[in-house]
């Protein structure tokens, strides 16, 4: 879910306001099915189960090494910079809160996550996430397509309230990217998402609240890989991994 992304505090998520303190969030780990296990050596998302305000929900957590940085359009911790974690949280349909960044911070705090992080949100079933792998790249996708359409829409369509259906994409890779390549990687992942939606027979480019996170190591003195477009070595892997994950999710979510 995007729009109005806020920068993370250096000392962790923002404090929970009094109006939301005491919100019961209990989180436990869910055993991952064998088919969901990523290849050895690749960063794996943890599927978590929580009960919140009478709802049974799920979220995915990535606990990142100190050497990783993230480029994202996340509602919490969007932008480019070091991140200690990524969180993709499921919320109920008809989501009533107007402070998604603080809500994500509450969930992160319940998980014991500290330091700056990136938080995404969706009404899609997070437990139904799909993955794609290619040459060391892992794409993890949650697919909600209840409110889909084309990016270039008439102005009248842009004023309607947007429910958090959302296609959320988290990409991890083992190779450092330059700032420009990180931005290019987000664009490549988005292109691959649209290609997958069309290949699934859907007449849309996504939903109004889609978000992307790309996590890669901090570049060293060499500055990292300079390109991540779809015809570069790492961009091509990103595109194939994202396409695989989104296509599987779109076929299930239809």
């Amino acid at each position: 879910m995007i729009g109005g992304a806020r920068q993370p505090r250096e000392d962790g998520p923002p404090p929970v306001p009094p109006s939301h303190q005491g919100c019961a969030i209990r989180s436990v780990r869910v055993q991952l099915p064998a088919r969901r296990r990523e290849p050895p050596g690749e960063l794996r998302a943890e599927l978590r189960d929580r009960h919140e305000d009478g709802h049974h929900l799920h979220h995915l957590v990535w606990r990142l090494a100190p050497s990783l940085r993230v480029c994202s359009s996340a509602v919490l911790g969007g932008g480019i910079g070091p991140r200690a974690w990524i969180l993709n949280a499921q919320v109920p349909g008809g989501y009533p809160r107007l402070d998604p960044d603080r809500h994500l911070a509450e969930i992160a705090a319940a998980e014991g996550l500290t330091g700056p992080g990136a938080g995404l949100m969706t009404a899609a079933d997070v437990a139904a996430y799909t993955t794609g792998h290619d040459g060391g790249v892992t794409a993890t996708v949650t697919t909600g397509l209840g409110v889909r359409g084309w990016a270039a829409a008439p102005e009248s369509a842009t004023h309607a309230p947007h429910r958090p259906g959302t296609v959320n994409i988290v990409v991890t890779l083992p190779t450092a990217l330059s700032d420009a390549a990180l931005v290019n990687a987000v664009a490549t992942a988005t292109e691959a998402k649209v290609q997958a939606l069309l290949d699934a027979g859907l007449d849309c480019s996504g939903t109004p609240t889609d978000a992307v996170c790309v996590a890669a190591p901090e570049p060293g003195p060499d500055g990292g890989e300079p390109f991540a477009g779809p015809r570069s070595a790492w961009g091509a892997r990103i595109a194939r991994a994202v396409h695989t994950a989104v296509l599987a999710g779109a076929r299930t979510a239809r």
Side-chain angles (χ1 to χ4, degrees):
M1 179 175 179
I2 61 175
R6 302 195 183 184
Q7 295 301 312
R9 292 161 54 98
E10 292 301 322
D11 56 350
V16 178
S19 61
H20 296 303
Q21 288 176 0
C23 175
I25 299 177
R26 180 171 60 84
S27 175
V28 296
R29 180 160 185 175
V30 177
Q31 181 64 41
L32 298 182
R35 68 184 179 86
R36 294 285 184 79
R37 295 190 183 278
E38 282 77 1
E42 295 192 14
L43 183 64
R44 185 171 69 191
E46 298 175 25
L47 178 63
R48 307 285 289 190
D49 175 286
R50 77 184 191 278
H51 294 270
E52 182 180 339
D53 294 336
H55 298 283
H56 181 202
L57 304 166
H58 295 89
H59 53 273
L60 290 167
V61 177
W62 290 257
R63 303 174 194 271
L64 306 181
S67 61
L68 290 182
R69 65 176 183 160
V70 173
C71 177
S72 81
S73 60
V75 67
L76 174 67
I80 298 178
R83 301 290 183 267
W85 47 269
I86 300 172
L87 173 68
N88 185 12
Q90 180 183 356
V91 297
Y95 182 65
R97 290 181 60 163
L98 301 177
D99 58 346
D101 55 331
R102 289 191 179 278
H103 189 186
L104 287 163
E106 292 170 18
I107 299 170
E111 280 290 344
L113 302 173
T114 60
L120 306 90
M121 192 170 277
T122 181
D125 180 7
V126 167
Y129 73 94
T130 53
T131 58
H133 309 277
D134 195 289
V137 173
T138 297
T140 305
V141 175
T142 54
T143 308
L145 293 167
V147 187
R148 58 182 182 263
W150 293 103
E155 184 176 0
S156 58
T158 64
H159 300 305
H162 299 307
R163 291 177 287 154
T166 310
V167 179
N168 283 341
I169 300 170
V170 176
V171 175
T172 61
L173 64 155
T175 296
L177 301 177
S178 69
D179 285 359
L182 269 175
V183 175
N184 205 174
V186 170
T188 295
T190 302
E191 290 182 42
K193 175 199 72 175
V194 176
Q195 181 182 346
L197 294 175
L198 294 177
D199 286 347
L202 298 172
D203 189 23
C204 66
S205 58
T207 83
T209 53
D210 291 354
V212 182
C213 284
V214 177
E218 289 270 11
D222 64 353
E225 290 289 326
F227 306 111
R231 291 299 169 263
S232 68
W234 285 101
R237 293 166 186 160
I238 291 170
R240 289 190 292 265
V242 170
H243 182 271
T244 296
V246 174
L247 183 59
R251 285 173 170 167
T252 302
R254 291 189 62 180

